[in-house]
Amino acid sequence: QQPVQSPQAVILREGEDAVINCSSSKALYSVHWYRQKHGEAPVFLMILLKGGEQKGHEKISASFNEKKQQSSLYLTASQLSYSGTYFCGTEMGGGSNYKLTFGKGTLLTVNP
Amino acid sequence: SAVISQKPSRDICQRGTSLTIQCQVDSQVTMMFWYRQQPGQSLTLIATANQGSEATYESGFVIDKFPISRPNLTFSTLTVSNLSPEDSSIYLCSVRENEKLFFGSGTQLSVL
């Protein structure tokens, strides 16, 4: 079951903030966030495990609401290097049934 | 983090032929995955390749079209058989390490 990401695209000026959402119709074991720049492979940003935790990585953080089966990625004081397509990946099984299903992506453009 | 070498990086093939993509990892990993990403689209899981067992294919993907080998814990190949223009896409191998996915740089396949 593919997670639903929103918005599909967002354009920011350097220094502005953005929120990207990811929701699932099924119970989740974990949510992953990846960023892919044009012509490159996706790069891991963070993982949030079942338990409603929030994680941060410099000015990028994320939350996971297990009850609502939703995750949000927060980008604060955006930099030009943040431009790219952000994918959430959801895992339902955990353990040996590991399988990551990706959303359609959110294209983030940061302009000077 | 795992370092993944994938080759070829790109190829142009004739309709009806096959292409074999190689994926080499610098450490032993249990789970390897093959994804397809069509231009501007999300990542779609083709199959999970575990060493010592048959690959597990996702709905819409069959072994005759996408045979996979996994001879050891550091290497896998994906063959795309009987190529048609609809197979034109980017193919990515990925490995799971500490709950995270790491991706190879991808193989861009164009079928004429």
Side-chain angles (χ1 to χ4, degrees):
Chain A
Q1 200 84 14
Q2 185 176 40
V4 177
Q5 278 187 243
S6 62
Q8 291 184 347
V10 58
I11 300 174
L12 301 174
R13 289 204 176 275
E14 217 173 348
E16 293 181 338
D17 302 339
V19 180
I20 301 171
N21 300 303
C22 176
S23 64
S24 171
S25 60
K26 302 213 170 187
L28 299 175
Y29 175 79
S30 70
V31 179
H32 300 223
W33 287 96
Y34 291 79
R35 177 172 61 209
Q36 184 177 33
K37 293 183 180 284
H38 185 69
E40 299 180 9
V43 173
F44 172 83
L45 291 176
M46 63 187 74
I47 179 175
L48 299 105
L49 298 174
K50 191 173 170 180
E53 64 180 298
Q54 183 156 352
K55 282 198 166 184
H57 175 70
E58 297 182 347
K59 295 177 182 176
I60 300 176
S61 62
S63 63
F64 178 23
N65 187 319
E66 181 187 333
K67 286 183 180 177
K68 291 185 177 180
Q69 295 154 197
Q70 292 177 345
S71 177
S72 294
L73 185 71
Y74 307 94
L75 301 105
T76 58
S78 59
Q79 306 168 13
L80 296 176
S81 61
Y82 286 5
S83 291
T85 301
Y86 289 76
F87 292 99
C88 70
T90 54
E91 180 193 4
M92 285 184 272
S96 59
N97 294 321
Y98 184 95
K99 183 173 84 170
L100 216 53
T101 304
F102 288 92
K104 293 188 176 182
T106 296
L107 177 61
L108 177 74
T109 304
V110 182
N111 293 319
Chain B
S1 60
V3 176
I4 304 169
S5 300
Q6 186 176 338
K7 55 182 179 182
S9 57
R10 59 178 64 221
D11 207 339
I12 302 172
C13 298
Q14 294 296 320
R15 187 191 299 252
T17 63
S18 298
L19 175 70
T20 296
I21 303 167
Q22 298 181 4
C23 183
Q24 178 77 52
V25 191
D26 68 341
S27 58
Q28 293 186 335
V29 293
T30 304
M31 301 183 85
M32 293 182 76
F33 307 89
W34 288 97
Y35 281 88
R36 182 172 73 183
Q37 185 175 33
Q38 294 175 318
Q41 301 296 314
S42 183
L43 300 123
T44 301
L45 181 62
I46 297 172
T48 301
N50 292 327
Q51 195 268 337
S53 63
E54 292 284 329
T56 303
Y57 289 84
E58 297 301 306
S59 176
F61 298 96
V62 295
I63 188 170
D64 289 346
K65 176 69 175 177
F66 299 98
I68 288 171
S69 78
R70 182 82 199 272
N72 56 53
L73 291 173
T74 63
F75 187 78
S76 178
T77 66
L78 169 74
T79 299
V80 189
S81 304
N82 190 23
L83 289 167
S84 69
E86 293 71 37
D87 296 320
S88 297
S89 191
I90 296 173
Y91 294 84
L92 297 129
C93 72
S94 68
V95 302
R96 178 192 181 192
E97 187 179 81
N98 296 327
E99 303 285 345
K100 307 167 191 172
L101 273 190
F102 296 94
F103 288 87
S105 53
T107 296
Q108 184 169 347
L109 169 62
S110 299
V111 183
L112 303 179

